[in-house]
mmCIF file of all heavy atoms in Angstrom:
data_model
loop_
_atom_site.group_PDB
_atom_site.id
_atom_site.type_symbol
_atom_site.label_atom_id
_atom_site.label_comp_id
_atom_site.label_asym_id
_atom_site.label_seq_id
_atom_site.Cartn_x
_atom_site.Cartn_y
_atom_site.Cartn_z
ATOM 1 N N ALA A 40 16.147 218.469 177.689
ATOM 2 C CA ALA A 40 17.473 218.462 177.061
ATOM 3 C C ALA A 40 17.433 217.558 175.835
ATOM 4 O O ALA A 40 16.934 216.438 175.894
ATOM 5 C CB ALA A 40 18.525 217.952 178.045
ATOM 6 N N ARG A 41 17.920 218.051 174.708
ATOM 7 C CA ARG A 41 17.917 217.225 173.501
ATOM 8 C C ARG A 41 19.077 216.238 173.493
ATOM 9 O O ARG A 41 19.013 215.198 172.865
ATOM 10 C CB ARG A 41 17.980 218.111 172.258
ATOM 11 C CG ARG A 41 16.655 218.823 172.032
ATOM 12 C CD ARG A 41 16.702 219.679 170.817
ATOM 13 N NE ARG A 41 17.302 220.945 171.255
ATOM 14 C CZ ARG A 41 17.696 221.902 170.454
ATOM 15 N NH1 ARG A 41 17.606 221.772 169.171
ATOM 16 N NH2 ARG A 41 18.207 223.006 170.952
ATOM 17 N N ALA A 42 20.132 216.573 174.206
ATOM 18 C CA ALA A 42 21.298 215.688 174.283
ATOM 19 C C ALA A 42 22.016 215.981 175.578
ATOM 20 O O ALA A 42 21.935 217.086 176.125
ATOM 21 C CB ALA A 42 22.225 215.904 173.088
ATOM 22 N N VAL A 43 22.749 214.989 176.054
ATOM 23 C CA VAL A 43 23.529 215.102 177.270
ATOM 24 C C VAL A 43 24.921 214.587 176.968
ATOM 25 O O VAL A 43 25.071 213.509 176.397
ATOM 26 C CB VAL A 43 22.898 214.268 178.418
ATOM 27 C CG1 VAL A 43 23.769 214.302 179.654
ATOM 28 C CG2 VAL A 43 21.484 214.770 178.723
ATOM 29 N N MET A 44 25.944 215.362 177.321
ATOM 30 C CA MET A 44 27.310 214.862 177.229
ATOM 31 C C MET A 44 27.679 214.348 178.605
ATOM 32 O O MET A 44 27.497 215.048 179.599
ATOM 33 C CB MET A 44 28.286 215.933 176.781
ATOM 34 C CG MET A 44 29.669 215.345 176.547
ATOM 35 S SD MET A 44 30.922 216.491 175.943
ATOM 36 C CE MET A 44 30.219 217.002 174.412
ATOM 37 N N ALA A 45 28.213 213.156 178.629
ATOM 38 C CA ALA A 45 28.579 212.512 179.892
ATOM 39 C C ALA A 45 30.003 211.998 179.796
ATOM 40 O O ALA A 45 30.566 211.895 178.711
ATOM 41 C CB ALA A 45 27.614 211.381 180.188
ATOM 42 N N THR A 46 30.565 211.671 180.948
ATOM 43 C CA THR A 46 31.871 211.001 180.968
ATOM 44 C C THR A 46 31.714 209.686 181.707
ATOM 45 O O THR A 46 30.918 209.577 182.650
ATOM 46 C CB THR A 46 32.962 211.838 181.653
ATOM 47 O OG1 THR A 46 32.617 212.070 183.008
ATOM 48 C CG2 THR A 46 33.195 213.160 180.942
ATOM 49 N N LEU A 47 32.456 208.723 181.288
ATOM 50 C CA LEU A 47 32.418 207.408 181.913
ATOM 51 C C LEU A 47 33.244 207.378 183.189
ATOM 52 O O LEU A 47 33.084 206.475 184.002
ATOM 53 C CB LEU A 47 32.886 206.337 180.941
ATOM 54 C CG LEU A 47 32.018 206.175 179.696
ATOM 55 C CD1 LEU A 47 32.653 205.203 178.727
ATOM 56 C CD2 LEU A 47 30.618 205.762 180.086
ATOM 57 N N TRP A 48 34.151 208.333 183.354
ATOM 58 C CA TRP A 48 34.929 208.491 184.576
ATOM 59 C C TRP A 48 35.277 209.963 184.692
ATOM 60 O O TRP A 48 35.120 210.732 183.760
ATOM 61 C CB TRP A 48 36.191 207.615 184.584
ATOM 62 C CG TRP A 48 37.088 207.811 183.390
ATOM 63 C CD1 TRP A 48 38.024 208.764 183.211
ATOM 64 C CD2 TRP A 48 37.094 207.008 182.212
ATOM 65 N NE1 TRP A 48 38.636 208.626 181.981
ATOM 66 C CE2 TRP A 48 38.080 207.542 181.336
ATOM 67 C CE3 TRP A 48 36.388 205.884 181.776
ATOM 68 C CZ2 TRP A 48 38.358 206.999 180.089
ATOM 69 C CZ3 TRP A 48 36.660 205.357 180.539
ATOM 70 C CH2 TRP A 48 37.641 205.915 179.725
ATOM 71 N N SER A 49 35.714 210.350 185.860
ATOM 72 C CA SER A 49 36.087 211.744 186.117
ATOM 73 C C SER A 49 37.377 212.064 185.373
ATOM 74 O O SER A 49 38.359 211.331 185.479
ATOM 75 C CB SER A 49 36.270 211.952 187.620
ATOM 76 O OG SER A 49 36.486 213.313 187.889
ATOM 77 N N VAL A 50 37.362 213.148 184.620
ATOM 78 C CA VAL A 50 38.520 213.590 183.829
ATOM 79 C C VAL A 50 38.983 214.916 184.400
ATOM 80 O O VAL A 50 38.160 215.766 184.758
ATOM 81 C CB VAL A 50 38.152 213.728 182.338
ATOM 82 C CG1 VAL A 50 39.357 214.190 181.510
ATOM 83 C CG2 VAL A 50 37.597 212.431 181.786
ATOM 84 N N GLU A 51 40.290 215.101 184.489
ATOM 85 C CA GLU A 51 40.818 216.334 185.075
ATOM 86 C C GLU A 51 40.359 217.571 184.313
ATOM 87 O O GLU A 51 40.064 217.515 183.138
ATOM 88 C CB GLU A 51 42.342 216.257 185.235
ATOM 89 C CG GLU A 51 43.109 216.030 183.956
ATOM 90 C CD GLU A 51 43.727 217.297 183.398
ATOM 91 O OE1 GLU A 51 43.699 218.322 184.075
ATOM 92 O OE2 GLU A 51 44.202 217.253 182.274
ATOM 93 N N ASP A 52 40.284 218.675 185.020
ATOM 94 C CA ASP A 52 39.660 219.895 184.528
ATOM 95 C C ASP A 52 40.282 220.452 183.241
ATOM 96 O O ASP A 52 39.556 220.862 182.329
ATOM 97 C CB ASP A 52 39.660 220.991 185.588
ATOM 98 C CG ASP A 52 38.704 220.706 186.718
ATOM 99 O OD1 ASP A 52 37.822 219.822 186.549
ATOM 100 O OD2 ASP A 52 38.844 221.327 187.784
ATOM 101 N N GLN A 53 41.602 220.489 183.150
ATOM 102 C CA GLN A 53 42.240 221.086 181.965
ATOM 103 C C GLN A 53 41.916 220.291 180.704
ATOM 104 O O GLN A 53 41.636 220.879 179.672
ATOM 105 C CB GLN A 53 43.749 221.206 182.163
ATOM 106 C CG GLN A 53 44.457 221.964 181.035
ATOM 107 C CD GLN A 53 43.973 223.400 180.913
ATOM 108 O OE1 GLN A 53 43.907 224.140 181.885
ATOM 109 N NE2 GLN A 53 43.645 223.823 179.701
ATOM 110 N N SER A 54 41.937 218.974 180.786
ATOM 111 C CA SER A 54 41.606 218.151 179.630
ATOM 112 C C SER A 54 40.147 218.337 179.230
ATOM 113 O O SER A 54 39.834 218.427 178.042
ATOM 114 C CB SER A 54 41.857 216.667 179.937
ATOM 115 O OG SER A 54 43.216 216.447 180.161
ATOM 116 N N THR A 55 39.275 218.434 180.230
ATOM 117 C CA THR A 55 37.865 218.674 179.940
ATOM 118 C C THR A 55 37.674 220.038 179.274
ATOM 119 O O THR A 55 36.954 220.159 178.294
ATOM 120 C CB THR A 55 37.036 218.593 181.241
ATOM 121 O OG1 THR A 55 37.176 217.292 181.783
ATOM 122 C CG2 THR A 55 35.583 218.892 180.981
ATOM 123 N N LYS A 56 38.363 221.028 179.798
ATOM 124 C CA LYS A 56 38.273 222.388 179.230
ATOM 125 C C LYS A 56 38.737 222.371 177.770
ATOM 126 O O LYS A 56 38.055 222.913 176.897
ATOM 127 C CB LYS A 56 39.131 223.353 180.039
ATOM 128 C CG LYS A 56 39.190 224.752 179.466
ATOM 129 C CD LYS A 56 40.137 225.629 180.261
ATOM 130 C CE LYS A 56 40.396 226.915 179.545
ATOM 131 N NZ LYS A 56 41.438 227.708 180.187
ATOM 132 N N ASP A 57 39.870 221.748 177.505
ATOM 133 C CA ASP A 57 40.401 221.695 176.125
ATOM 134 C C ASP A 57 39.420 220.994 175.192
ATOM 135 O O ASP A 57 39.158 221.491 174.075
ATOM 136 C CB ASP A 57 41.740 220.962 176.095
ATOM 137 C CG ASP A 57 42.834 221.703 176.865
ATOM 138 O OD1 ASP A 57 42.682 222.907 177.156
ATOM 139 O OD2 ASP A 57 43.857 221.053 177.180
ATOM 140 N N LEU A 58 38.884 219.874 175.625
ATOM 141 C CA LEU A 58 37.945 219.144 174.784
ATOM 142 C C LEU A 58 36.681 219.958 174.547
ATOM 143 O O LEU A 58 36.189 220.041 173.417
ATOM 144 C CB LEU A 58 37.607 217.784 175.393
ATOM 145 C CG LEU A 58 36.765 216.908 174.487
ATOM 146 C CD1 LEU A 58 37.366 215.524 174.372
ATOM 147 C CD2 LEU A 58 35.333 216.845 174.946
ATOM 148 N N MET A 59 36.167 220.593 175.584
ATOM 149 C CA MET A 59 34.929 221.355 175.436
ATOM 150 C C MET A 59 35.124 222.600 174.561
ATOM 151 O O MET A 59 34.227 222.952 173.790
ATOM 152 C CB MET A 59 34.388 221.750 176.804
ATOM 153 C CG MET A 59 33.944 220.567 177.642
ATOM 154 S SD MET A 59 32.733 219.506 176.833
ATOM 155 C CE MET A 59 31.281 220.531 176.875
ATOM 156 N N ILE A 60 36.273 223.240 174.652
ATOM 157 C CA ILE A 60 36.548 224.380 173.772
ATOM 158 C C ILE A 60 36.545 223.912 172.320
ATOM 159 O O ILE A 60 35.901 224.537 171.459
ATOM 160 C CB ILE A 60 37.893 225.050 174.137
ATOM 161 C CG1 ILE A 60 37.727 225.847 175.442
ATOM 162 C CG2 ILE A 60 38.380 225.964 173.014
ATOM 163 C CD1 ILE A 60 39.022 226.367 176.018
ATOM 164 N N ASN A 61 37.225 222.800 172.053
ATOM 165 C CA ASN A 61 37.210 222.261 170.693
ATOM 166 C C ASN A 61 35.794 221.870 170.248
ATOM 167 O O ASN A 61 35.397 222.138 169.122
ATOM 168 C CB ASN A 61 38.132 221.029 170.575
ATOM 169 C CG ASN A 61 39.591 221.405 170.521
ATOM 170 O OD1 ASN A 61 39.956 222.447 170.010
ATOM 171 N ND2 ASN A 61 40.430 220.549 171.065
ATOM 172 N N PHE A 62 35.048 221.253 171.149
ATOM 173 C CA PHE A 62 33.686 220.831 170.858
ATOM 174 C C PHE A 62 32.852 222.044 170.432
ATOM 175 O O PHE A 62 32.182 222.025 169.382
ATOM 176 C CB PHE A 62 33.087 220.155 172.085
ATOM 177 C CG PHE A 62 31.633 219.802 171.956
ATOM 178 C CD1 PHE A 62 31.229 218.730 171.177
ATOM 179 C CD2 PHE A 62 30.675 220.549 172.635
ATOM 180 C CE1 PHE A 62 29.878 218.390 171.070
ATOM 181 C CE2 PHE A 62 29.333 220.212 172.538
ATOM 182 C CZ PHE A 62 28.925 219.141 171.751
ATOM 183 N N TYR A 63 32.861 223.122 171.217
ATOM 184 C CA TYR A 63 32.034 224.280 170.900
ATOM 185 C C TYR A 63 32.544 225.034 169.667
ATOM 186 O O TYR A 63 31.742 225.605 168.913
ATOM 187 C CB TYR A 63 31.897 225.186 172.119
ATOM 188 C CG TYR A 63 30.877 224.666 173.092
ATOM 189 C CD1 TYR A 63 31.288 224.109 174.299
ATOM 190 C CD2 TYR A 63 29.521 224.662 172.800
ATOM 191 C CE1 TYR A 63 30.359 223.588 175.199
ATOM 192 C CE2 TYR A 63 28.594 224.148 173.693
ATOM 193 C CZ TYR A 63 29.006 223.610 174.869
ATOM 194 O OH TYR A 63 28.085 223.088 175.741
ATOM 195 N N GLN A 64 33.836 225.032 169.431
ATOM 196 C CA GLN A 64 34.359 225.615 168.193
ATOM 197 C C GLN A 64 33.853 224.841 166.989
ATOM 198 O O GLN A 64 33.446 225.429 165.980
ATOM 199 C CB GLN A 64 35.892 225.643 168.208
ATOM 200 C CG GLN A 64 36.465 226.690 169.125
ATOM 201 C CD GLN A 64 37.993 226.593 169.243
ATOM 202 O OE1 GLN A 64 38.600 225.558 168.950
ATOM 203 N NE2 GLN A 64 38.608 227.672 169.696
ATOM 204 N N ASN A 65 33.869 223.519 167.099
ATOM 205 C CA ASN A 65 33.372 222.691 166.006
ATOM 206 C C ASN A 65 31.872 222.911 165.776
ATOM 207 O O ASN A 65 31.425 222.969 164.622
ATOM 208 C CB ASN A 65 33.645 221.207 166.303
ATOM 209 C CG ASN A 65 35.144 220.912 166.340
ATOM 210 O OD1 ASN A 65 35.955 221.619 165.759
ATOM 211 N ND2 ASN A 65 35.507 219.851 167.036
ATOM 212 N N LEU A 66 31.098 223.034 166.853
ATOM 213 C CA LEU A 66 29.670 223.332 166.700
ATOM 214 C C LEU A 66 29.460 224.659 165.975
ATOM 215 O O LEU A 66 28.600 224.777 165.105
ATOM 216 C CB LEU A 66 28.979 223.391 168.054
ATOM 217 C CG LEU A 66 28.639 222.086 168.749
ATOM 218 C CD1 LEU A 66 28.014 222.360 170.116
ATOM 219 C CD2 LEU A 66 27.711 221.232 167.908
ATOM 220 N N SER A 67 30.265 225.668 166.344
ATOM 221 C CA SER A 67 30.110 226.984 165.749
ATOM 222 C C SER A 67 30.484 227.002 164.268
ATOM 223 O O SER A 67 30.074 227.882 163.534
ATOM 224 C CB SER A 67 30.927 228.033 166.502
ATOM 225 O OG SER A 67 32.314 227.859 166.261
ATOM 226 N N GLN A 68 31.214 225.972 163.830
ATOM 227 C CA GLN A 68 31.593 225.852 162.421
ATOM 228 C C GLN A 68 30.579 225.013 161.645
ATOM 229 O O GLN A 68 30.831 224.659 160.485
ATOM 230 C CB GLN A 68 32.985 225.239 162.303
ATOM 231 C CG GLN A 68 34.072 226.129 162.857
ATOM 232 C CD GLN A 68 35.426 225.437 162.935
ATOM 233 O OE1 GLN A 68 35.577 224.284 162.555
ATOM 234 N NE2 GLN A 68 36.394 226.148 163.463
ATOM 235 N N GLY A 69 29.453 224.650 162.276
ATOM 236 C CA GLY A 69 28.385 223.980 161.575
ATOM 237 C C GLY A 69 28.338 222.464 161.725
ATOM 238 O O GLY A 69 27.478 221.827 161.133
ATOM 239 N N GLN A 70 29.251 221.903 162.487
ATOM 240 C CA GLN A 70 29.206 220.451 162.691
ATOM 241 C C GLN A 70 28.067 220.119 163.654
ATOM 242 O O GLN A 70 27.730 220.922 164.537
ATOM 243 C CB GLN A 70 30.533 219.957 163.263
ATOM 244 C CG GLN A 70 31.709 220.137 162.333
ATOM 245 C CD GLN A 70 33.011 219.642 162.953
ATOM 246 O OE1 GLN A 70 33.020 218.972 163.962
ATOM 247 N NE2 GLN A 70 34.116 219.993 162.321
ATOM 248 N N ASN A 71 27.486 218.930 163.481
ATOM 249 C CA ASN A 71 26.480 218.506 164.467
ATOM 250 C C ASN A 71 27.218 218.047 165.728
ATOM 251 O O ASN A 71 28.449 217.973 165.760
ATOM 252 C CB ASN A 71 25.524 217.443 163.906
ATOM 253 C CG ASN A 71 26.195 216.119 163.626
ATOM 254 O OD1 ASN A 71 27.085 215.661 164.355
ATOM 255 N ND2 ASN A 71 25.756 215.463 162.567
ATOM 256 N N LYS A 72 26.480 217.766 166.791
ATOM 257 C CA LYS A 72 27.096 217.435 168.081
ATOM 258 C C LYS A 72 27.985 216.189 167.997
ATOM 259 O O LYS A 72 29.063 216.179 168.577
ATOM 260 C CB LYS A 72 26.013 217.239 169.147
ATOM 261 C CG LYS A 72 25.315 218.539 169.544
ATOM 262 C CD LYS A 72 24.338 218.357 170.668
ATOM 263 C CE LYS A 72 22.991 217.881 170.311
ATOM 264 N NZ LYS A 72 22.112 218.670 169.542
ATOM 265 N N ALA A 73 27.531 215.170 167.269
ATOM 266 C CA ALA A 73 28.329 213.954 167.153
ATOM 267 C C ALA A 73 29.642 214.226 166.425
ATOM 268 O O ALA A 73 30.709 213.771 166.851
ATOM 269 C CB ALA A 73 27.537 212.852 166.440
ATOM 270 N N GLN A 74 29.574 214.953 165.318
ATOM 271 C CA GLN A 74 30.785 215.304 164.577
ATOM 272 C C GLN A 74 31.696 216.183 165.414
ATOM 273 O O GLN A 74 32.928 216.005 165.411
ATOM 274 C CB GLN A 74 30.434 216.032 163.283
ATOM 275 C CG GLN A 74 29.698 215.189 162.282
ATOM 276 C CD GLN A 74 29.066 216.046 161.180
ATOM 277 O OE1 GLN A 74 28.685 217.187 161.380
ATOM 278 N NE2 GLN A 74 28.934 215.444 159.999
ATOM 279 N N ALA A 75 31.117 217.151 166.100
ATOM 280 C CA ALA A 75 31.898 218.066 166.929
ATOM 281 C C ALA A 75 32.668 217.331 168.026
ATOM 282 O O ALA A 75 33.828 217.605 168.279
ATOM 283 C CB ALA A 75 31.007 219.152 167.515
ATOM 284 N N LEU A 76 31.990 216.376 168.670
ATOM 285 C CA LEU A 76 32.658 215.601 169.712
ATOM 286 C C LEU A 76 33.743 214.708 169.120
ATOM 287 O O LEU A 76 34.838 214.621 169.648
ATOM 288 C CB LEU A 76 31.639 214.751 170.495
ATOM 289 C CG LEU A 76 32.236 213.879 171.602
ATOM 290 C CD1 LEU A 76 33.008 214.712 172.618
ATOM 291 C CD2 LEU A 76 31.114 213.090 172.291
ATOM 292 N N GLN A 77 33.446 214.071 167.984
ATOM 293 C CA GLN A 77 34.433 213.217 167.343
ATOM 294 C C GLN A 77 35.688 214.034 166.989
ATOM 295 O O GLN A 77 36.818 213.598 167.252
ATOM 296 C CB GLN A 77 33.854 212.586 166.086
ATOM 297 C CG GLN A 77 34.845 211.720 165.335
ATOM 298 C CD GLN A 77 34.274 211.184 164.034
ATOM 299 O OE1 GLN A 77 33.512 211.874 163.353
ATOM 300 N NE2 GLN A 77 34.652 209.968 163.690
ATOM 301 N N GLN A 78 35.509 215.195 166.398
ATOM 302 C CA GLN A 78 36.655 216.018 166.012
ATOM 303 C C GLN A 78 37.401 216.553 167.230
ATOM 304 O O GLN A 78 38.630 216.684 167.207
ATOM 305 C CB GLN A 78 36.193 217.173 165.100
ATOM 306 C CG GLN A 78 35.716 216.685 163.751
ATOM 307 C CD GLN A 78 36.752 215.893 162.992
ATOM 308 O OE1 GLN A 78 37.918 216.274 162.889
ATOM 309 N NE2 GLN A 78 36.358 214.715 162.512
ATOM 310 N N ALA A 79 36.685 216.867 168.308
ATOM 311 C CA ALA A 79 37.344 217.317 169.538
ATOM 312 C C ALA A 79 38.214 216.206 170.112
ATOM 313 O O ALA A 79 39.312 216.452 170.605
ATOM 314 C CB ALA A 79 36.308 217.773 170.559
ATOM 315 N N LYS A 80 37.728 214.971 170.030
ATOM 316 C CA LYS A 80 38.525 213.827 170.493
ATOM 317 C C LYS A 80 39.731 213.624 169.597
ATOM 318 O O LYS A 80 40.843 213.389 170.079
ATOM 319 C CB LYS A 80 37.680 212.568 170.520
ATOM 320 C CG LYS A 80 36.669 212.526 171.637
ATOM 321 C CD LYS A 80 35.874 211.215 171.567
ATOM 322 C CE LYS A 80 34.940 211.045 172.721
ATOM 323 N NZ LYS A 80 34.267 209.722 172.671
ATOM 324 N N ILE A 81 39.539 213.729 168.297
ATOM 325 C CA ILE A 81 40.652 213.564 167.354
ATOM 326 C C ILE A 81 41.730 214.614 167.600
ATOM 327 O O ILE A 81 42.923 214.317 167.482
ATOM 328 C CB ILE A 81 40.139 213.583 165.894
ATOM 329 C CG1 ILE A 81 39.356 212.295 165.613
ATOM 330 C CG2 ILE A 81 41.275 213.768 164.902
ATOM 331 C CD1 ILE A 81 38.628 212.267 164.300
ATOM 332 N N ALA A 82 41.309 215.828 167.967
ATOM 333 C CA ALA A 82 42.287 216.894 168.266
ATOM 334 C C ALA A 82 43.184 216.523 169.428
ATOM 335 O O ALA A 82 44.300 217.049 169.558
ATOM 336 C CB ALA A 82 41.565 218.218 168.534
ATOM 337 N N GLN A 83 42.733 215.623 170.289
ATOM 338 C CA GLN A 83 43.528 215.204 171.461
ATOM 339 C C GLN A 83 44.088 213.779 171.297
ATOM 340 O O GLN A 83 44.532 213.184 172.267
ATOM 341 C CB GLN A 83 42.662 215.271 172.710
ATOM 342 C CG GLN A 83 42.275 216.678 173.070
ATOM 343 C CD GLN A 83 41.705 216.764 174.479
ATOM 344 O OE1 GLN A 83 41.902 215.897 175.308
ATOM 345 N NE2 GLN A 83 41.014 217.847 174.751
ATOM 346 N N ILE A 84 44.070 213.262 170.099
ATOM 347 C CA ILE A 84 44.446 211.867 169.859
ATOM 348 C C ILE A 84 45.871 211.542 170.296
ATOM 349 O O ILE A 84 46.157 210.402 170.626
ATOM 350 C CB ILE A 84 44.223 211.491 168.362
ATOM 351 C CG1 ILE A 84 44.128 209.983 168.193
ATOM 352 C CG2 ILE A 84 45.302 212.083 167.470
ATOM 353 C CD1 ILE A 84 42.835 209.402 168.644
ATOM 354 N N ASN A 85 46.742 212.527 170.339
ATOM 355 C CA ASN A 85 48.135 212.273 170.768
ATOM 356 C C ASN A 85 48.266 212.167 172.280
ATOM 357 O O ASN A 85 49.335 211.795 172.770
ATOM 358 C CB ASN A 85 49.076 213.327 170.216
ATOM 359 C CG ASN A 85 49.215 213.205 168.714
ATOM 360 O OD1 ASN A 85 49.151 212.117 168.159
ATOM 361 N ND2 ASN A 85 49.390 214.336 168.048
ATOM 362 N N ARG A 86 47.230 212.500 172.991
ATOM 363 C CA ARG A 86 47.234 212.370 174.453
ATOM 364 C C ARG A 86 46.792 210.953 174.810
ATOM 365 O O ARG A 86 46.193 210.238 174.009
ATOM 366 C CB ARG A 86 46.276 213.371 175.091
ATOM 367 C CG ARG A 86 46.696 214.816 174.774
ATOM 368 C CD ARG A 86 45.928 215.778 175.587
ATOM 369 N NE ARG A 86 46.432 215.679 176.960
ATOM 370 C CZ ARG A 86 45.854 216.231 177.989
ATOM 371 N NH1 ARG A 86 44.764 216.899 177.823
ATOM 372 N NH2 ARG A 86 46.357 216.097 179.185
ATOM 373 N N HIS A 87 47.016 210.564 176.021
ATOM 374 C CA HIS A 87 46.562 209.259 176.499
ATOM 375 C C HIS A 87 45.044 209.202 176.388
ATOM 376 O O HIS A 87 44.361 210.189 176.719
ATOM 377 C CB HIS A 87 47.006 209.040 177.946
ATOM 378 C CG HIS A 87 46.818 207.640 178.413
ATOM 379 N ND1 HIS A 87 45.584 207.178 178.806
ATOM 380 C CD2 HIS A 87 47.685 206.619 178.544
ATOM 381 C CE1 HIS A 87 45.688 205.905 179.160
ATOM 382 N NE2 HIS A 87 46.975 205.543 179.020
ATOM 383 N N PRO A 88 44.468 208.087 175.946
ATOM 384 C CA PRO A 88 43.006 207.983 175.805
ATOM 385 C C PRO A 88 42.232 208.293 177.084
ATOM 386 O O PRO A 88 41.056 208.678 176.994
ATOM 387 C CB PRO A 88 42.790 206.527 175.354
ATOM 388 C CG PRO A 88 44.079 206.128 174.726
ATOM 389 C CD PRO A 88 45.152 206.878 175.453
ATOM 390 N N TYR A 89 42.847 208.141 178.211
ATOM 391 C CA TYR A 89 42.176 208.467 179.486
ATOM 392 C C TYR A 89 41.591 209.875 179.447
ATOM 393 O O TYR A 89 40.523 210.133 179.999
ATOM 394 C CB TYR A 89 43.180 208.363 180.646
ATOM 395 C CG TYR A 89 42.656 208.914 181.937
ATOM 396 C CD1 TYR A 89 41.854 208.139 182.778
ATOM 397 C CD2 TYR A 89 42.926 210.234 182.319
ATOM 398 C CE1 TYR A 89 41.346 208.648 183.969
ATOM 399 C CE2 TYR A 89 42.422 210.741 183.506
ATOM 400 C CZ TYR A 89 41.644 209.951 184.321
ATOM 401 O OH TYR A 89 41.129 210.466 185.475
ATOM 402 N N PHE A 90 42.266 210.800 178.759
ATOM 403 C CA PHE A 90 41.876 212.198 178.790
ATOM 404 C C PHE A 90 40.769 212.561 177.793
ATOM 405 O O PHE A 90 40.190 213.627 177.897
ATOM 406 C CB PHE A 90 43.091 213.087 178.533
ATOM 407 C CG PHE A 90 44.127 212.986 179.614
ATOM 408 C CD1 PHE A 90 45.286 212.274 179.420
ATOM 409 C CD2 PHE A 90 43.912 213.586 180.845
ATOM 410 C CE1 PHE A 90 46.243 212.162 180.424
ATOM 411 C CE2 PHE A 90 44.855 213.483 181.864
ATOM 412 C CZ PHE A 90 46.016 212.748 181.644
#
Side-chain angles (χ1 to χ4, degrees):
R41 288 180 276 170
V43 175
M44 186 178 299
T46 62
L47 297 174
W48 55 83
S49 186
V50 180
E51 58 101 9
D52 289 344
Q53 187 61 49
S54 295
T55 299
K56 176 184 169 188
D57 295 343
L58 187 130
M59 295 305 288
I60 287 171
N61 283 329
F62 174 75
Y63 282 108
Q64 286 173 341
N65 295 337
L66 282 178
S67 72
Q68 294 171 2
Q70 295 179 13
N71 68 37
K72 290 184 277 293
Q74 293 166 330
L76 180 57
Q77 179 185 35
Q78 292 303 311
K80 287 180 174 184
I81 289 172
Q83 294 194 19
I84 200 75
N85 290 328
R86 299 191 72 191
H87 191 281
Y89 170 84
F90 296 104

